[in-house]
Amino acid sequence: MAVFSRCSRVATAAIPPTQTAAATFAYVIRALSSSTFSSSSSRLSSESDLNQDKPEVLGALKREPKGRNVHWVFLGCPGVGKGTYASRLSNLLGVPHIATGDLVRDELASSGPLSSKLKEIVNQGKLVSDEIIIDLLSKHLEAGQAKGESGFILDGFPRTIRQAEILEGVTDIDVVVNLKLREEALLAKCLGRRICSECGGNYNVASIDIKAENGRPGMYMAPLPPPLGCASKLITRADDTEEVVKERLRIYHEMTRPVEDFYRSRGKLLEFDLPGGIPESWPKLLRALNLDDHEDKQSAAA
């Protein structure tokens, strides 16, 4: 990644912070997605440069599905289960699952330079800025590319039109899965989330049983209990309070739903209403993604 580092430094000196983050992200995405990343590249002076060689980049990406790993995005309200299903598909297809929420939490736990700023933002239920998210994502992608990873399933990015436009400018997203869940179930699910303080495993203590009424079907979502070794070590995330969860949902509807329209207008949005918990939803999601031939591998992705 010497080329990346050299180009990154030149770009940093030449352009403003938000644009620098976009430039850095562009370089890493290209290196991760395409074999055409060349040491002859020396400078990215503005976002207009991204579009000058866009046909070449897209030409390398728009191969048959067997020619490269998937480039997928998962959208949905906070707590809907993006991480759960993206992680299962990651295991099933052998591509990296990159959750920006996890990147933020890792940065919080690291006590790095962004830690105190992020803590205030997250605890108030606000959206983390484009610049911070792109910076964290770029670093993660760079590390993955160095390990030989290719393809990705993005979870939690893009969350704004600005982020979607940056992503659209540097890679070709195959499909955007928009997970949807009834709001009463979503709130209960968020408040039931627990994390093992030792291993970092995610669990849920909520037992959701919504009765059918007024023509709407019932819904049951069983708890996701921890193994015995984790049961005494469960903690609640600081931002999983009813007030903060409701604020996150409000902000999502206000700021992130336009991203759905962005991908819907491009014919890439797959709307998927979760019918219940994992046993009910997982097989149907596989069929919706034309992965019926993977259904026999469900247990391997559990």
Side-chain angles (χ1 to χ4, degrees):
M1 294 302 290
V3 173
F4 168 84
S5 300
R6 183 173 66 251
C7 297
S8 167
R9 285 196 297 270
V10 174
T12 300
I15 53 181
T18 301
Q19 205 164 321
T20 299
T24 302
F25 177 66
Y27 273 112
V28 183
I29 278 282
R30 283 177 174 174
L32 183 69
S33 304
S34 170
S35 60
T36 62
F37 186 72
S38 168
S39 60
S40 63
S41 301
S42 61
R43 178 176 177 136
L44 183 64
S45 60
S46 70
E47 284 186 43
S48 63
D49 291 336
L50 297 181
N51 296 320
Q52 288 177 3
D53 60 352
K54 184 176 177 180
E56 178 185 346
V57 174
L58 294 183
L61 292 172
K62 288 181 177 177
R63 292 175 282 176
E64 292 298 319
K66 291 181 181 180
R68 66 166 173 86
N69 281 330
V70 301
H71 292 175
W72 290 356
V73 167
F74 267 70
L75 298 180
C77 291
V80 74
K82 297 186 296 294
T84 297
Y85 293 102
S87 178
R88 283 174 161 249
L89 287 166
S90 168
N91 291 335
L92 201 63
L93 301 175
V95 297
H97 165 219
I98 305 170
T100 53
D102 289 343
L103 300 184
V104 169
R105 283 185 284 276
D106 289 346
E107 185 67 24
L108 282 168
S110 72
S111 300
L114 287 176
S115 182
S116 58
K117 183 177 181 180
L118 282 172
K119 184 175 182 181
E120 180 180 353
I121 294 170
V122 170
N123 287 344
Q124 291 177 4
K126 296 179 180 178
L127 285 180
V128 180
S129 72
D130 290 354
E131 183 181 352
I132 293 174
I133 288 294
I134 292 172
D135 182 53
L136 294 175
L137 185 54
S138 296
K139 291 176 182 175
H140 184 86
L141 288 170
E142 180 185 5
Q145 194 271 340
K147 293 186 292 185
E149 293 178 350
S150 66
F152 50 76
I153 299 176
L154 292 177
D155 159 12
F157 183 94
R159 295 183 70 177
T160 66
I161 290 293
R162 172 67 174 154
Q163 292 176 0
E165 288 172 343
I166 292 170
L167 185 61
E168 184 87 355
V170 294
T171 192
D172 188 23
I173 298 300
D174 304 318
V175 67
V176 178
V177 182
N178 186 29
L179 296 182
K180 304 174 84 171
L181 183 65
R182 289 159 63 169
E183 191 155 326
E184 61 265 44
L186 188 60
L187 183 59
K189 193 167 175 284
C190 286
L191 296 178
R193 290 194 294 195
R194 299 293 185 271
I195 302 171
C196 176
S197 59
E198 187 171 290
C199 72
N202 290 280
Y203 308 102
N204 203 298
V205 299
S207 179
I208 300 170
D209 190 2
I210 301 173
K211 305 301 181 185
E213 60 178 0
N214 300 324
R216 299 185 71 188
M219 174 181 288
Y220 177 72
M221 301 180 75
L224 296 175
L228 289 177
C230 297
S232 63
K233 304 178 182 71
L234 295 186
I235 58 174
T236 303
R237 281 173 30 178
D239 56 329
D240 275 347
T241 65
E242 185 169 353
E243 179 181 1
V244 171
V245 169
K246 287 183 175 179
E247 177 65 6
R248 283 206 305 265
L249 294 176
R250 184 193 69 78
I251 291 175
Y252 177 84
H253 294 314
E254 179 181 312
M255 295 187 64
T256 312
R257 272 193 172 170
V259 178
E260 299 174 12
D261 295 331
F262 179 89
Y263 286 114
R264 186 180 291 112
S265 69
R266 286 158 175 77
K268 295 184 177 183
L269 191 71
L270 172 65
E271 306 267 15
F272 186 79
D273 289 290
L274 293 164
I278 292 173
E280 299 83 12
S281 301
W282 177 241
K284 293 181 179 179
L285 179 60
L286 289 179
R287 287 193 288 274
L289 290 168
N290 295 321
L291 294 174
D292 303 67
D293 58 326
H294 287 75
E295 285 197 61
D296 59 338
K297 300 178 184 177
Q298 290 178 52
S299 60

